Amino acid sequence: MNDYLAAILFFLPAGVSNMSPVFANKIPWFNKWNTPIDFGKSYKGQRILGDNKRWRGIVAGTLMGGATAVIVSIFNTHTVITIPPFWVGCLLGFGALAGDAIESFFKRLCKVQPGHSWFPFDQIDYILGGLLLVWPIAALPLWVVLTIFITYFGLHLLVAYIAYLLGLKDRPL
């Protein structure tokens, strides 16, 4: 398998996790779990993360990351990581969602309105979070990090636009 494709497939669990909260919100029995990650707390008069960051999204995204990694591992035998794929996927997924949550905190401090784009931070937060959390178990070469960064930055823009066209998002970016 092409090394670049293997790098892209390695990070796929983080990409899937980043999209999962939107879909988790559409599951009738699961969307009743409405607890915000920040438990409704504020910092300097602003919600810490806002209403769009909920525990159901963290749980759904982390588990989807693990499931995606298991599926990818069937096709991507190029990896040298000895940890079971499910746990690597969970790390990537949780890292992606944690990166998104941290970015939301700074977005609120900068007074960017919920639902509005904060380019390019909205596009790179999950990439940085996923890479940082998986770094201790997968010291990736620079070319892999760059491949992941360029590919998933572009994919984020494309998927966001498709979600806008499908009516899942209010804005294309």
Side-chain angles (χ1 to χ4, degrees):
M1 179 182 292
N2 179 311
D3 288 344
Y4 290 99
L5 181 57
I8 292 166
L9 287 175
F10 171 78
F11 200 72
L12 186 60
V16 170
S17 293
N18 192 49
M19 296 184 302
S20 293
V22 173
F23 297 105
N25 189 39
K26 306 289 184 203
I27 300 170
W29 54 270
F30 200 52
N31 69 2
K32 293 184 186 352
W33 187 15
N34 270 336
T35 309
I37 296 171
D38 64 9
F39 296 104
K41 303 290 182 194
S42 296
Y43 175 75
K44 292 188 176 184
Q46 293 263 358
R47 279 289 298 282
I48 295 171
L49 299 177
D51 278 333
N52 294 329
K53 304 297 179 213
R54 301 203 176 265
W55 284 106
R56 78 168 162 254
I58 293 283
V59 170
T62 300
L63 293 175
M64 282 303 297
T68 302
V70 169
I71 294 167
V72 166
S73 72
I74 295 167
F75 303 102
N76 186 10
T77 58
H78 195 68
T79 186
V80 293
I81 298 172
T82 58
I83 295 173
F86 178 79
W87 297 115
V88 174
C90 286
L91 280 174
L92 283 165
F94 183 79
L97 296 169
D100 182 58
I102 291 167
E103 179 263 346
S104 283
F105 172 74
F106 288 106
K107 195 174 181 178
R108 299 296 159 256
L109 284 180
C110 292
K111 309 249 188 271
V112 178
Q113 294 299 315
H116 286 78
S117 181
W118 196 31
F119 188 84
F121 304 108
D122 281 331
Q123 290 72 34
I124 64 172
D125 55 2
Y126 79 103
I127 300 169
L128 292 173
L131 288 173
L132 285 173
L133 205 57
V134 82
W135 191 265
I137 63 162
L140 304 171
L142 181 59
W143 72 267
V144 171
V145 171
L146 290 175
T147 298
I148 288 169
F149 205 91
I150 292 166
T151 301
Y152 282 91
F153 181 84
L155 279 174
H156 188 279
L157 295 174
L158 177 64
V159 169
Y161 187 69
I162 291 170
Y164 167 72
L165 293 176
L166 294 173
L168 297 172
K169 289 184 67 158
D170 295 332
R171 293 177 177 76
L173 183 64

